[in-house]
Amino acid sequence: MKVGVAMSGGVDSTAAALLLKEQGHDVVGLHIYMHEYSRYSWGVVQEIAHKIGVPVSLVDLRSHFREMVIGRFLSEYAQGRTPSPCLVCNKLIKMGLLREHALSLGCDMVATGHYARVVHTARNSLLLKGVDVAKDQSYFLAMVPRESLAALLLPLGSITKTQTREIVQNMGISIPRSADSQELCFIHGQTYKEYLLEHGVMSAPGPIVDVHGRVLGEHRGIMGFTVGQRKGLGISAPHPLYVVAIDSQTHTIVVGPVEHTFVDSIDIEQFNELGERPVQPGEVFRVKVRSTSAPVSCTAAAVEDTVLTLRFHKPQRGVAPGQAAVLYREDEVVGGGWIYATKANEGVLSGRAFRA
């Protein structure tokens, strides 16, 4: 089988290519030219491809990445939301445009170095957690449409990160430290705020108020804040204060004590159904509301097409609109959607960002 492997120059994608080649597949390396830093990683990828004996080509998707991923990232921050660009990239770039390019080259499947599993059956393809719990990356693939999963291979889903490194080391390949995975591949040597300002995200100044509406200070732009933030608020108070709401229409930052950062339910939209059976109202799941958080229990309180309301069994803090919520049944990824509102107990201010 001919397989196009997305090769970044890091340990994971290198090991994925090696494993597929060892399994007898006809492996073709594909390096996405996404932004200016891809020029460095392209050189690394060429060296690695030569060492493992696979052809590799550069796929220029810069304009698409700038529009689809960076453009949304900038827009979300400008509206007071907390974006998740990696999920957008996996859906639209890697398993969208790159997949189409690979198929045009005669590839049967596309592979990446994510720590997750895809099980292909006669009926459909299911996305599962990776066996390495500490490195599981199924969260980042939850927005990939089911039809795209049918053409996806994930060679690292059944092994650990330690085994991955051993595979690469046993081939005598040294991966530069800077070429390994990063949080956001398109931001280097800058804070998020610096990057946003450099790219023209200029929001108006506005008031910082407490949960009762009292003005405590002024900020220079909402893009420097996110729900749950404590440090860098630019105000002083006798007790710690946290961002509990961002109003992008009035450019208001609302702050309060830690108890006001807890929410009881979330509303998500554009839900991407991936499970073996549909989500039913009243069904209990485990949900992740950000990549670094542990899954927590919730109940699907309402289900209407691609819009869901999820009620947490225990209040959760630091949940921000713009983030992705991913549902699980044991190891199975049921699907993922974008958080657009959160709700708290009566009498406690909602930690939502108001939609522009």
Side-chain angles (χ1 to χ4, degrees):
M1 184 162 57
K2 188 173 183 178
V3 182
V5 181
M7 295 183 67
S8 66
V11 171
D12 299 332
S13 61
T14 300
L18 280 167
L19 284 173
L20 290 168
K21 186 181 179 185
E22 289 177 359
Q23 292 168 10
H25 297 295
D26 179 9
V27 174
V28 176
L30 302 171
H31 182 62
I32 309 174
Y33 193 176
M34 292 188 287
H35 42 70
E36 59 180 300
Y37 304 105
S38 299
R39 290 180 295 179
Y40 165 73
S41 54
W42 170 231
V44 175
V45 169
Q46 287 178 294
E47 292 181 14
I48 292 172
H50 177 73
K51 288 180 181 178
I52 66 177
V54 301
V56 65
S57 61
L58 185 66
V59 185
D60 190 350
L61 298 178
R62 282 175 294 175
S63 63
H64 300 287
F65 185 82
R66 188 163 50 245
E67 176 186 351
M68 296 176 173
V69 180
I70 296 179
R72 174 170 174 150
F73 174 82
L74 299 175
S75 175
E76 288 286 280
Y77 260 114
Q79 297 179 69
R81 295 195 277 267
T82 303
S84 302
C86 293
L87 283 86
V88 177
C89 180
N90 286 327
K91 174 186 176 180
L92 300 179
I93 302 297
K94 292 179 182 175
M95 289 309 299
L97 296 174
L98 185 69
R99 170 177 168 267
E100 291 175 5
H101 179 78
L103 295 177
S104 74
L105 297 177
C107 293
D108 302 292
M109 304 287 278
V110 174
T112 71
H114 287 96
Y115 289 87
R117 292 173 289 161
V118 175
V119 176
H120 301 291
T121 70
R123 291 180 54 195
N124 51 36
S125 296
L126 300 176
L127 179 64
L128 308 177
K129 291 180 182 179
V131 297
D132 189 336
V133 177
K135 290 296 296 181
D136 171 53
Q137 294 175 314
S138 58
Y139 177 89
F140 295 105
L141 297 171
M143 300 302 185
V144 175
R146 191 190 298 275
E147 58 269 23
S148 296
L149 287 181
L152 178 62
L153 294 177
L154 300 172
L156 307 188
S158 298
I159 65 175
T160 65
K161 181 72 173 188
T162 299
Q163 291 173 309
T164 297
R165 291 193 179 280
E166 290 174 352
I167 290 168
V168 174
Q169 290 169 357
N170 290 340
M171 284 293 295
I173 299 173
S174 177
I175 303 293
R177 188 177 183 84
S178 60
D180 214 339
S181 299
Q182 303 177 68
E183 184 177 0
L184 287 182
C185 64
F186 55 90
I187 297 182
H188 287 249
Q190 291 178 298
T191 64
Y192 282 17
K193 189 173 182 178
E194 290 170 341
Y195 183 87
L196 293 169
L197 289 171
E198 181 182 299
H199 287 77
V201 179
M202 302 291 292
S203 60
I208 300 176
V209 304
D210 66 14
V211 294
H212 304 291
R214 293 188 292 255
V215 177
L216 303 179
E218 187 175 273
H219 64 83
R220 296 183 179 180
I222 61 173
M223 80 284 189
F225 298 86
T226 188
V227 172
Q229 178 180 335
R230 183 174 72 86
K231 296 182 179 180
L233 301 184
I235 55 175
S236 59
H239 51 78
L241 295 175
Y242 300 78
V243 175
V244 297
I246 302 172
D247 188 336
S248 63
Q249 295 180 335
T250 63
H251 306 286
T252 300
I253 302 295
V254 183
V255 298
V258 67
E259 58 265 27
H260 285 264
T261 66
F262 286 86
V263 300
D264 298 285
S265 66
I266 56 176
D267 294 327
I268 64 175
E269 60 186 350
Q270 300 175 44
F271 185 70
N272 181 44
E273 188 94 50
L274 294 176
E276 194 165 18
R277 63 182 189 275
V279 174
Q280 299 295 329
E283 190 174 359
V284 175
F285 301 96
R286 302 283 283 176
V287 62
K288 288 188 71 167
V289 293
R290 52 188 172 273
S291 63
T292 56
S293 69
V296 297
S297 297
C298 72
T299 297
V303 180
E304 186 175 345
D305 195 18
T306 61
V307 177
L308 280 66
T309 295
L310 304 176
R311 184 170 294 116
F312 297 118
H313 292 185
K314 292 182 180 179
Q316 299 297 311
R317 64 177 299 245
V319 182
Q323 294 172 325
V326 177
L327 296 179
Y328 294 88
R329 291 188 188 104
E330 301 296 336
D331 284 350
E332 177 193 9
V333 177
V334 178
W338 302 108
I339 301 171
Y340 71 87
T342 65
K343 298 182 180 70
N345 280 326
E346 185 177 355
V348 179
L349 185 67
S350 169
R352 65 189 170 96
F354 296 81
R355 305 180 76 192

